[in-house]
Amino acid sequence: MKKYLIRHIALLLCMIAALLRPGVCRGGEPLTEGPCLVVMDKELDLGKFSATTERYGQIRVRNAGDSPVVIKSVRGNCGCTVVKFEHDSIMPDSVATINIRFNGRNRVEGPFRKMIKIRSNSPHKIDIAYVVGTIVR
């Protein structure tokens, strides 16, 4: 029992030390070195709209690190969500915009939630944002 408790306390201390380690990209905190992509708009709300229309919006991303963030891909999880990102990289302490077009044609009435995946050289590799709204008839 005592060994079990000591082992778990040691594991917990290692996890805490890893989280507090300087120079690690942690969701927007300043980074001492390396790239750090921060999604400023985690959710883009397109509101309520007709199934016969298209809606547009933007998601902002920022490099909170001290070296460029290289964007490898930006993709929606279905054909109704078109994503346009015109930059290859984001310089330190700069903001870039991802343009979103949601096509409501032939979509089912009701709320929706679509995922946008942003792949980069940031330490966490994949960042996620969502496009939400409600289609009405």
Side-chain angles (χ1 to χ4, degrees), residues 1 19 22 41 47 59 71 82 101 110 113 134 137:
M1 179 74 165
L19 287 173
D41 305 309
I59 294 172
I71 303 297
V82 178
R101 177 176 55 96
R113 181 177 170 99
T134 303
R137 297 275 173 216

Side-chain angles (χ1 to χ4, degrees), residues 42-59:
K42 299 271 187 198
E43 190 172 272
L44 170 62
D45 190 350
L46 298 177
K48 293 182 179 182
F49 59 98
S50 168
T52 60
T53 62
E54 292 182 346
R55 292 295 279 241
Y56 300 88
Q58 296 179 330
I59 294 172

Side-chain angles (χ1 to χ4, degrees), residues 4 6-7 15 21 24 34 39-40 42 44 47 51-52 56-57 59 63 70 73 81 83 111 113-114 116-117 132 135:
Y4 176 79
I6 291 172
R7 207 175 321 168
M15 290 170 56
R21 184 176 47 166
V24 176
V39 179
M40 298 169 69
K42 299 271 187 198
L44 170 62
T52 60
Y56 300 88
I59 294 172
N63 181 357
V70 177
S73 69
T81 308
V83 180
R113 181 177 170 99
K114 303 296 179 182
I116 305 295
K117 284 187 180 180
V132 299
I135 296 178

Side-chain angles (χ1 to χ4, degrees), residues 37 39 61 69-76 83-90 98 115-122 125-129:
L37 185 69
V39 179
V61 292
V69 168
V70 177
I71 303 297
K72 297 175 181 176
S73 69
V74 181
R75 295 198 175 130
V83 180
K84 194 172 196 177
F85 187 71
E86 299 174 353
H87 307 280
D88 291 333
S89 62
I90 305 169
I98 300 169
M115 182 187 307
I116 305 295
K117 284 187 180 180
I118 308 160
R119 294 180 191 273
S120 71
N121 66 333
S122 191
K125 306 291 183 203
I126 298 176
D127 288 277
I128 305 291

